[in-house]
Amino acid sequence: MTGVTGPVSPDRRRLLTAGAAVLGAAASAQLWLPTTARAAENPLPDGVFSLGVASGDPLPDGVVLWTRLAPDPLNGGGMPARAVSVEWEISEDSRFAKSVRRGTAQARPEYGHSVHVDVRGLRPDRTYWYRFRTGGQISPRGRTRTAPNWTGRGPLRLALASCQNWQQGYFTPYADMLAQDPDVVVFVGDYIYESAPAATAVRRHEGTGEPYSLVQYRNRYAQYRTDPDLQAMHAAAPWVVTFDDHEVDNDFAGEVPQDPDKQSHDAFVARLTAAYQAYYEHMPVRASAVPNGPHIRMHRRLDFGHLARLNVLDTRQFRSDQATSQAGAQSPSLTMLGAEQKKWLLDGLHGSPARWNLIASQIMMAETDLLVGEGKLWFYDAWDGYQVERNALLGEFASVRNPVVLSGDRHLTMISDLKKDFADPGSAVVGAEFVGTSISSGGDQDQAAFHTEWDAKLPDNPHWKLIDAHRGYHLFDIRRDRIDAQVRVVDTVLRKTAAPSTLARLRVEDGKPGVRRV
């Protein structure tokens, strides 16, 4: 590979090998070649594009295109144990009359016959269409969009989603998201759930138990990818993804499982290795995210002109094990991000040329005081369990332009002012946080019961501007002078179709930390 000199480490060689097809495909200018002869010699099973197509991580000049060949998706994929050439094409029009890039990538068995094409040389702030072909079969058509360059002025329409539990409901909010036509979707975790099949579920998980092996995780991801609303949304806009805990194991921290008495360290490391590989295989991410055993690089930064910078965090791999007491939560030894990622984040915030500095954090940053009246009670898995690091970060927000945190995990809409010190009622507001509700996790909640329980906590959490328990997502129109946000909800996830509505509208104004309802 050009530019590589001297000895190459095993980890680096692995990354180069995995990325070779991607980079080679992006540089290729091959024609949309006929595959009839190859298909006749080595026929593939029908339905290789059963999992659809996707794109992600848009740049001003490029985007990642994704598919995975899986004619038998719930049984390991059903592909022959050999590499398969897959042709790809990207065009300026939906009929592919104005093709701008074409090439061939290799779908390799060691990566589940997934394809990640890092296309470059595109024009900024433009809509493109793409497709794949192999063995005489053609994929569904996908649509994507590049990011604006530094002269781009917006607006930018961004959708925030998280927490889609197959067993607890259909992914009906995506049908409404599709109609709202966002420029980019930010998904902040719990793309799958690792729970065992439940006999009383709305729709049952595949398999016979929790996934532990690579094949089992592949089958679980493949099942989720068969959801028609999820497939349609992936095919309509680029996604920026990161994971939380359920992609591996509930509430895990670094290499510590939820139940270390039941999973040895070696067994959990093997589970992490399988889970991260399956995650990479099913997400539209670059070769920089190819896992290295039980490690995967997910924190990264994307710019949308001078309008917005998106910092994507990883709040699982580098964190300390969760505290079990208030004193533990206030220990300066605990970290959520790890020293390297924290420095990376602060450098990106303080050095940002953007008007809006967005932070995709899997778990809630604002305080949740669960104890009515005197005293405090926190969720230790959230940022409340890592108080010293959280408070130091909020202190840095005071000198960052327009910090806005986009979170998930909670299965609730919780929209808050971020305060420099939540222990001080008079502390300055330094930012805003939108905790998106879930796509389906939690099912159709009893709204009256929710408010009976949670409204009593409002006086102890005056920074909360809105709490709600409907399923849905958040939609943001990001402009130079403000962010207009909508909480979009559906009336049910227990049926395949649902009625959407806007539950609330909120606004964050340039230069005015915090959020207000409008």
Side-chain angles (χ1 to χ4, degrees), residues 187-271:
F187 192 92
V188 290
D190 295 344
Y191 191 96
I192 64 165
Y193 279 71
E194 85 290 11
S195 48
T200 58
V202 178
R203 46 182 183 172
R204 190 170 180 170
H205 273 153
E206 54 71 43
T208 58
E210 292 190 16
Y212 291 89
S213 71
L214 177 55
V215 170
Q216 289 171 329
Y217 275 108
R218 282 173 175 167
N219 291 345
R220 185 61 56 87
Y221 274 101
Q223 182 180 45
Y224 277 58
R225 280 285 194 167
T226 63
D227 182 274
D229 290 322
L230 178 60
Q231 274 204 19
M233 196 61 242
H234 268 300
W239 286 45
V240 178
V241 300
T242 188
F243 60 83
D244 193 20
D245 55 340
H246 288 291
E247 288 88 349
V248 182
D249 182 35
N250 181 53
D251 285 354
F252 83 95
E255 294 186 359
V256 180
Q258 178 187 28
D259 48 3
D261 56 324
K262 297 180 181 178
Q263 299 182 70
S264 70
H265 179 261
D266 288 349
F268 189 63
V269 166
R271 189 178 192 183

Side-chain angles (χ1 to χ4, degrees), residues 398-417:
S399 57
V400 173
R401 185 172 188 179
N402 295 329
V404 177
V405 178
L406 308 176
S407 307
D409 177 64
R410 194 55 61 86
H411 305 171
L412 304 172
T413 287
M414 304 187 84
I415 299 173
S416 308
D417 285 345

Side-chain angles (χ1 to χ4, degrees), residues 214-401:
L214 177 55
V215 170
Q216 289 171 329
Y217 275 108
R218 282 173 175 167
N219 291 345
R220 185 61 56 87
Y221 274 101
Q223 182 180 45
Y224 277 58
R225 280 285 194 167
T226 63
D227 182 274
D229 290 322
L230 178 60
Q231 274 204 19
M233 196 61 242
H234 268 300
W239 286 45
V240 178
V241 300
T242 188
F243 60 83
D244 193 20
D245 55 340
H246 288 291
E247 288 88 349
V248 182
D249 182 35
N250 181 53
D251 285 354
F252 83 95
E255 294 186 359
V256 180
Q258 178 187 28
D259 48 3
D261 56 324
K262 297 180 181 178
Q263 299 182 70
S264 70
H265 179 261
D266 288 349
F268 189 63
V269 166
R271 189 178 192 183
L272 284 170
T273 301
Y276 290 157
Q277 167 129 357
Y279 184 83
Y280 167 76
E281 290 173 355
H282 290 84
M283 295 297 132
V285 291
R286 291 191 162 82
S288 57
V290 172
N292 175 21
H295 306 287
I296 184 172
R297 170 67 184 250
M298 288 307 298
H299 62 282
R300 61 204 189 279
R301 184 174 296 123
L302 296 163
D303 288 314
F304 296 85
H306 279 131
L307 183 66
R309 166 166 284 187
L310 176 62
N311 301 275
V312 183
L313 300 187
D314 174 351
T315 59
R316 284 291 160 190
Q317 285 192 93
F318 308 107
R319 67 158 69 190
S320 309
D321 197 9
Q322 291 91 343
T324 57
S325 66
Q326 287 193 46
Q330 297 176 81
S331 169
S333 67
L334 294 190
T335 180
M336 177 73 78
L337 300 177
E340 181 181 342
Q341 184 181 192
K342 182 179 179 182
K343 181 180 184 302
W344 166 88
L345 174 61
L346 293 176
D347 288 347
L349 291 173
H350 290 305
S352 173
R355 186 173 296 262
W356 298 98
N357 286 285
L358 311 178
I359 301 166
S361 169
Q362 293 86 338
I363 44 85
M364 186 169 176
M365 188 171 289
E367 182 176 77
T368 298
D369 181 3
L370 298 167
L371 184 63
V372 175
E374 293 297 320
K376 300 275 189 180
L377 179 63
W378 300 310
F379 286 121
Y380 296 127
D381 186 62
W383 277 96
D384 278 338
Y386 300 78
Q387 297 247 335
V388 173
E389 185 167 275
R390 191 269 308 274
N391 293 344
L393 185 58
L394 291 176
E396 297 282 352
F397 279 10
S399 57
V400 173
R401 185 172 188 179

